[in-house]
């Protein structure tokens, strides 16, 4: 469902002191795949290339080299078709504050090619699942971070995507809201969707992820089921694996 | 194209949710101009009526009495008052009187000997009432002089027309409709350009740099909508808001100054034909045809700068110089004699002004019209292509 083969992505930045252009390799030869009914946890320190990898999968960025296939589509050649299969959520994303959740989701459903009526029906179901039904006709500008994140989750899942890409979905959320999101991820897995999640929260990965990949400086380490990873590293938990790999990297 | 319309719809929906912005963009101009013009017009009319309706208070020193009867014969223009106590200058400044008229003591003698006598008017023309008194005195003296000259000529047994060998009579061949058209043609492009640019600028920034700043642009980009349709939707929105804003402002201004033009037109020749030419659907339609691509060009510039900018402030400061350029060009386009410059039809923006000017003064030139239209369309197309490319650049969307 998600397939990355030898993917490279870099950026050119300007050093503010020397005014020289500098090349940053954000993703270096990353290969892995996520199958239907699987949650893949992508770990790594800040700046390791997690968000870039997820943006490449979501079709927001183009890889410089390598192949990315999402839902059977080549994300480089058919970005729109690939994006149509993906439900993308990131902590950076926000909602339109002047809209109510109902209006916002109906509009995004239309952006995803759904009929307004169909989109609204699906939106209501998702809002009910996320416990936001009472707020569906309230303008979102006064919403809390958790409420906004729930609406964003509904937005990402509105078009019934086969591939779910969540970039740090629980950052800034309280325990209850985070649990709602995690439960939803489990449901998505049960429904046979391919889910990839990036996070810093190790217990969350141990709790819900089937496979784990750890990125350091754009290079992927690990990429194995959690129990295999722990066994291969003689580690008691993911934290230990993480620190071992950090030392090697 | 459906995606572009959806994005445009989203922008308008978002705008409609902000009642204050809707009020200030679309409703305030409808109320503001009529109110402003009514207030200023009312004040100036009241002031004018007060001044014209009141007799000028003058101190007349006329020992020979040559002017006294003439001034007294026009009580609606002159009110003879006693000399003020103290300084005359201060009395005029304090508006206790408007003027002091001093006639030479031997005026009757000079008059009888066919010589010139002097009338001295002490006034302050910088004070409107005092200036009006002087004008009234000039008029009355002119009439009185004419009477005295005719009397002298009659006594000499000569025709009263001796001192008037010829008389000039003018026949107004111009047409007020055409005059209004020329003035309108000079001002209209300036107003349209300015209003289109200013009216769409903030909305363009909100829809581009604002979306980036608020973190909503990525949501939009993560949908299946092709990038070019997203940018076209935003362009369509900025363009439509600019046009709407310009139209509403002009409509309101037009209605407000209509009364002024009508008042000025009283008693002047204005053929129904030339007035109809001014408001002819083809003139208005061709003007719209010229302004539409120009509006698209402005919308493109605003959207391009907005997408390139990292935040709204940066977008605002980078768009502002563009507005200054448009402003300078628009002001330049009003300069008289501009149409004689041979290169002008090939200068973007200015050629649109020139073509509209000629349309309204009924001197339309098909070649210049098409050059202006095609050139602006071409520029708008190039800018649209650039904007689309810019949105596809990852560095425009993501801060690395």
């Amino acid at each position: 469902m998600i397939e990355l083969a030898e993917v490279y992505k870099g950026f050119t930045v300007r050093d503010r002191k020397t005014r020289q252009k500098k090349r940053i390799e954000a993703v270096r030869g990353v290969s892995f795949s996520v199958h239907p009914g699987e949650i893949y946890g992508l770990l790594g320190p800040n700046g390791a290339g997690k968000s870039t990898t997820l943006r490449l999968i979501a079709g927001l960025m183009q890889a410089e080299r390598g192949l990315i296939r999402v839902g059977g589509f080549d994300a480089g050649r058919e970005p729109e078709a690939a994006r149509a299969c993906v439900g993308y959520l990131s902590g950076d994303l926000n909602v339109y504050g002047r809209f109510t959740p109902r209006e916002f989701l109906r509009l995004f459903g239309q952006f995803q090619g759904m009929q307004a009526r169909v989109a609204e029906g699906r939106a209501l179901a998702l809002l009910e699942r996320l416990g936001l039904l009472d707020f569906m006709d309230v303008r979102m500008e006064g919403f809390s971070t958790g409420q906004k994140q729930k609406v964003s989750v509904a937005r990402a899942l509105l078009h019934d995507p086969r591939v779910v890409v969540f970039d740090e979905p629980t950052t800034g959320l309280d325990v209850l809201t985070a649990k709602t999101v995690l439960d939803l991820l489990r449901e998505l897995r049960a429904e046979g969707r391919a889910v990839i999640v990036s996070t810093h929260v190790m217990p969350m990965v141990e709790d819900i992820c089937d496979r784990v990949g750890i990125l350091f400086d754009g290079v992927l380490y690990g990429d194995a089921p959690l129990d295999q990873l722990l066994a291969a590293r003689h580690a008691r938990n993911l934290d230990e694996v993480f620190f071992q790999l950090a030392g090697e990297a | 194209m459906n995606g572009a319309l959806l994005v445009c719809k989203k922008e308008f929906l978002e705008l409609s949710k902000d009642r204050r912005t809707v009020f200030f963009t679309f409703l305030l101009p409808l109320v503001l101009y009529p109110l402003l013009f009514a207030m200023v017009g009312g004040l100036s009319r009241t002031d004018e009526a007060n001044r014209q309706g009141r007799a000028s208070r003058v101190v007349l020193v006329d020992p020979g009495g040559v002017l006294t009867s003439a001034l007294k014969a026009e009580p609606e223009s002159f009110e003879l008052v006693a000399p003020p106590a103290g300084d005359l200058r201060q009395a005029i400044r304090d508006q206790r009187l408007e003027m002091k008229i001093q006639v030479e003591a031997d005026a009757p003698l000079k008059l009888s000997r066919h010589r010139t006598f002097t009338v001295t008017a002490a006034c302050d023309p910088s004070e409107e009432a005092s200036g009006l008194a002087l004008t009234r005195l000039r008029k009355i003296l002119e009439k009185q002089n004419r009477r005295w000259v005719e009397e002298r000529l009659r006594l000499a047994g000569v025709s009263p027309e001796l001192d008037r060998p010829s008389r000039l009579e003018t026949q107004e061949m111009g047409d007020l409709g055409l005059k209004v058209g020329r003035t309108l043609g000079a001002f209209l492009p300036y107003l349209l350009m300015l209003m289109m640019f200013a009216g769409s600028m903030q909305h363009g920034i909100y829809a581009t740099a604002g979306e980036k700043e608020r973190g909503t642009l990525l949501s939009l980009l993560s949908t299946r909508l092709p990038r070019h349709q997203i940018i076209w939707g935003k362009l369509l929105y900025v363009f439509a808001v600019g046009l709407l804003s310009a139209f509403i402002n002009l409509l309101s201004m037009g209605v407000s100054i209509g009364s002024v033009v009508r008042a000025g037109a009283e008693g002047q020749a204005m053929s129904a034909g030339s007035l109809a030419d001014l408001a002819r659907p083809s003139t208005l339609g061709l003007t719209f045809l010229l302004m539409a691509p120009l509006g698209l060009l402005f919308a493109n510039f605003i959207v391009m700068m907005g997408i390139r900018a990292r935040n709204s402030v940066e977008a605002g400061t980078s768009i502002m110089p563009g507005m200054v350029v448009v402003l300078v060009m628009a002001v330049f386009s009003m300069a008289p004699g501009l149409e004689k410059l041979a290169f002008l039809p090939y200068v973007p923006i200015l050629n649109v002004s020139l073509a509209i000017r000629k349309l309204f003064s009924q001197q339309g030139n098909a070649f210049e019209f098409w050059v202006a239209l095609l050139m602006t369309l071409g520029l708008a197309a190039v800018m649209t292509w650039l904007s689309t490319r810019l949105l596809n650049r990852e560095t425009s969307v993501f801060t690395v």
Side-chain angles (χ1 to χ4, degrees), chain A residues 17-29:
Chain A
K17 272 188 181 171
T18 60
R19 308 296 301 157
Q20 296 286 311
K21 282 187 178 174
K22 210 164 86 179
R23 174 101 181 139
I24 294 173
E25 300 298 339
V27 176
R28 295 190 284 170

Side-chain angles (χ1 to χ4, degrees), chain B residues 225-298:
Chain B
L225 289 177
R227 299 263 164 105
H228 69 270
Q229 292 203 9
I230 294 176
I231 202 82
W232 289 357
K234 288 188 179 287
L235 271 175
L236 195 61
Y237 165 71
V238 178
F239 168 65
V241 169
L243 272 190
L244 261 175
S245 170
F247 176 74
I248 288 170
N249 274 280
L250 272 181
L251 182 77
S252 175
M253 255 191 202
V255 169
S256 308
I257 60 174
S259 55
V260 178
V261 174
R262 271 199 302 277
E266 273 174 24
Q268 293 192 48
M270 187 188 306
S271 77
S274 51
L275 256 187
D277 277 341
L278 263 187
R280 206 164 45 181
S282 61
T283 307
L284 300 177
L286 290 174
T287 303
F288 177 78
L289 203 62
L290 280 168
M291 287 311 290
L294 194 65
L296 191 60
L297 187 68
F298 291 163

Side-chain angles (χ1 to χ4, degrees), chain A residues 14-66:
Chain A
R14 193 180 284 276
D15 190 304
R16 292 206 177 247
K17 272 188 181 171
T18 60
R19 308 296 301 157
Q20 296 286 311
K21 282 187 178 174
K22 210 164 86 179
R23 174 101 181 139
I24 294 173
E25 300 298 339
V27 176
R28 295 190 284 170
V30 168
S31 303
F32 68 89
S33 45
V34 186
H35 304 289
E38 186 177 67
I39 299 181
Y40 192 96
L42 197 60
L43 297 172
N46 290 333
K50 299 187 299 294
S51 291
T52 303
T53 305
L54 297 191
R55 283 169 181 172
L56 288 167
I57 295 169
L60 289 166
M61 284 180 170
Q62 293 284 308
E64 286 167 355
R65 268 194 291 157

Side-chain angles (χ1 to χ4, degrees), chain A residues 86-131:
Chain A
V86 177
Y88 176 72
L89 174 81
S90 156
D92 303 342
L93 301 190
N94 210 339
V95 292
Y96 294 108
R98 291 177 188 169
F99 288 163
T100 65
R102 187 203 291 266
E103 293 165 338
F104 176 72
L105 294 174
R106 188 172 49 205
L107 197 69
F108 267 81
Q110 288 178 285
F111 288 159
Q112 295 288 16
M114 300 164 80
Q115 294 286 331
R117 202 162 38 83
V118 177
E120 194 168 330
R122 170 103 176 124
L124 293 182
L126 281 164
L127 289 175
E128 189 176 12
R129 168 68 190 82
L130 291 160

Side-chain angles (χ1 to χ4, degrees), chain B residues 167-188:
Chain B
R167 188 173 59 198
L168 176 68
E169 268 183 16
T170 55
Q171 283 184 331
E172 183 63 75
M173 298 304 287
D175 188 290
L176 186 66
L178 205 57
K179 267 191 214 167
V180 172
R182 279 192 191 131
T183 315
L184 208 62
F187 278 95
L188 196 68

Side-chain angles (χ1 to χ4, degrees), chain A residues 227-243:
Chain A
D227 49 351
Q228 284 181 26
L229 203 60
L230 294 176
R233 292 271 161 185
H234 306 292
R236 280 171 299 171
N237 54 38
L238 202 50
D239 277 339
E240 283 184 19
V241 178
F242 189 85
F243 291 126

